[in-house]
Each structure stands twice: as C-alpha cells, then as structure tokens.
C-alpha cells in the first residue's frame, strides 16, 4: 500500500462551497466602497452648506450683541472644517481604490480604507461632536436669554440630550455596523489569499 499522499489533489478536492468566490467578494467590496463613498459625499455636502450658512449669518450683516454668539459660530465652523479635511483623505482612497490589481494588493487597499474609516468614525467624529456641542451651546446663549429661564433651560436640555444620544448610541452603533461589513469582506479576501498561497506552495 502506497504511503505517498498527493496534497495538491487533496487541496483541489476541498468542498467548493466552502471557498469564497473571489468575483462575489470583489463585487461586494465595490458595493461597500460605493455606499461608504456616497454617505461621505452626502455628509460633506451638508457640512459645507451649514458652514456657508454660519459664515453668512455671522459675517454677512447680522449684528450679534454677545461675543459668545461669534465664538460659538467659529467653534462650530472649526469642527466642520476639521471633519471635512480628515474625511476627504478617506474619500480620495475610496475613489482611487481599484480591484484590477492582484488580490494581495487589493486586500492592502481595503485594510487601509478600513483603518482610515475607523479613525474618521471614532476619534474625528467624537471630536467634531464635542466641538459642535460647545459651539452651539455658546451660540444659543444670546437667544435663550430672550426665551426666559424655563424655555431656555428646556432648549439646553434638549440640545445636550440629543448630543448625548448621538455620542453614546448612534455613533457607536454605526461604527459597529460599518466595522462588521468591512471585516466580513476583508476576512473573505484574506481566506482567498491564504488559499492561493497554499496552492502555490503545493505546486
């Protein structure tokens, strides 16, 4: 009885269904990149529009009686601009990335995008929310004084409750969902690359 084992043949006999389909993985990665890119473009468009509104409001003829209004407006604009600068670095990668290269290089591209996206969605977004909260709180002082103690307090409670909801619930939930989507694609591509590497070693 022969003791020689044909490892290459054994590898090729593996259950085909257990192997990720590279075309399907590439297709899903393109869809995820497009979805991420569109969300980022929409967010950037909204932030640019709000920034223009703030600039026109603060410096376009409106005379505020309190310095807190201008400081709050400037802080809010700074938060918008910082977010736009960092997130546009990710946007460039989402436009530049291409799947025509080999699967190993493409995997590196996806890992880079995932790393940048996590930076934007965690540290940058949290910094942006803190800046926005402080900026809007200062901006509101001039107007809440006119509203009286009760309604002014209600306005601030609503503001901080909403910001806390976004900071502690919405953002972490969105980060978990996005991380799971990218991880699923990357793990499948990593599996394909491992299989290709093992096949080359058997040849």
């Amino acid at each position: 009885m022969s003791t020689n084992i044909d490892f290459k043949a054994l590898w090729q006999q593996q259950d085909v269904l257990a192997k990720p389909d590279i075309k399907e993985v590439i297709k899903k990665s393109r869809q995820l990149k497009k979805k991420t890119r569109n969300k980022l473009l929409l967010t950037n468009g909204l932030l640019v529009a709000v920034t223009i509104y703030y600039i026109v409001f603060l410096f376009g003829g409106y005379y505020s009686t309190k310095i807190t209004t201008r400081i709050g407006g400037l802080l809010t604009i700074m938060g918008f601009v910082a977010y736009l600068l960092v997130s546009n670095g990710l946007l460039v990668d989402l436009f530049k990335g291409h799947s025509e290269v080999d699967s190993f290089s493409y995997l590196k591209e996806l890992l880079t995008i995932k790393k940048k996206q996590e930076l934007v969605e965690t540290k940058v977004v949290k910094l942006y929310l803190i800046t926005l909260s402080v900026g809007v709180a200062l901006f509101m002082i001039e107007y809440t004084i006119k509203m009286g103690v009760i309604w002014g307090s209600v306005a601030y409670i609503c503001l901080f409750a909403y910001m806390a909801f976004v900071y502690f619930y919405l953002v972490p939930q969105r980060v978990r969902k996005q991380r799971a989507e990218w991880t699923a694609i990357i793990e499948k591509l990593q599996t394909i690359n491992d299989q290709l590497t093992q096949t080359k070693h058997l040849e």
Side-chain angles (χ1 to χ4, degrees):
M1 180 178 176
S2 174
T3 56
N4 295 328
I5 300 173
D6 188 344
F7 288 103
K8 185 176 180 181
L10 287 175
W11 169 254
Q12 291 173 340
Q13 290 171 6
Q14 288 184 101
D15 184 2
V16 176
L17 293 176
K19 299 178 183 177
D21 181 350
I22 190 165
K23 289 183 180 177
E24 187 63 24
V25 173
I26 296 293
K27 180 183 174 184
K28 286 186 177 178
S29 73
R30 284 177 175 168
Q31 291 173 340
L32 183 56
K33 285 170 67 179
K34 184 179 179 182
K35 182 176 142 185
T36 306
R37 191 170 63 224
N38 289 344
K39 279 185 179 177
L40 210 51
L41 284 172
L42 179 63
T43 304
N44 285 3
L46 288 172
L47 289 182
V48 169
V50 176
T51 302
I52 292 172
Y53 168 78
Y54 263 99
I55 291 173
V56 171
F57 184 79
L58 289 172
F59 306 106
Y62 173 77
Y63 179 76
S64 58
T65 58
K66 291 189 176 297
I67 188 69
T68 51
T69 307
R70 288 181 180 271
I71 293 175
L74 287 174
L75 270 176
T76 306
I77 292 172
M78 286 170 62
F80 290 165
V81 172
Y83 179 86
L84 288 172
L85 287 175
V86 179
S87 65
N88 280 339
L90 171 62
L91 202 54
V92 171
D93 286 335
L94 288 169
F95 273 112
K96 279 171 56 181
H98 46 281
S99 57
E100 296 80 21
V101 294
D102 63 273
S103 59
F104 294 92
S105 300
Y106 190 56
L107 177 60
K108 285 183 181 177
E109 285 183 10
L110 295 186
L111 285 170
T112 301
I113 290 172
K114 180 174 180 280
K115 189 176 178 181
K116 286 188 178 180
Q117 190 190 28
E118 287 187 354
L119 173 70
V120 170
E121 296 297 338
T122 53
K123 294 181 179 177
V124 177
V125 166
K126 287 182 177 178
L127 181 65
Y128 157 75
L129 286 174
I130 291 171
T131 310
L132 181 66
S133 301
V134 176
V136 174
L138 289 172
F139 189 85
M140 287 171 55
I141 289 175
E142 182 175 349
Y143 307 100
T144 49
I145 287 175
K146 298 175 184 174
M147 294 166 67
V149 176
I150 294 176
W151 287 111
S153 300
V154 170
Y156 272 104
I157 289 171
C158 290
L159 169 68
F160 288 117
Y162 176 72
M163 288 300 179
F165 175 69
V166 173
Y167 189 93
F168 292 108
Y169 179 74
L170 281 186
V171 170
Q173 188 184 48
R174 189 172 68 174
V175 169
R176 278 196 296 274
K177 183 180 177 184
Q178 289 175 342
R179 187 175 292 165
E181 288 177 327
W182 281 102
T183 300
I185 295 289
I186 286 171
E187 283 181 349
K188 286 179 181 175
L189 197 55
Q190 182 65 60
T191 301
I192 291 169
N193 286 347
D194 291 342
Q195 290 172 346
L196 290 172
T197 303
Q198 291 179 44
T199 304
K200 285 179 182 175
H201 288 162
L202 292 173
E203 289 177 348

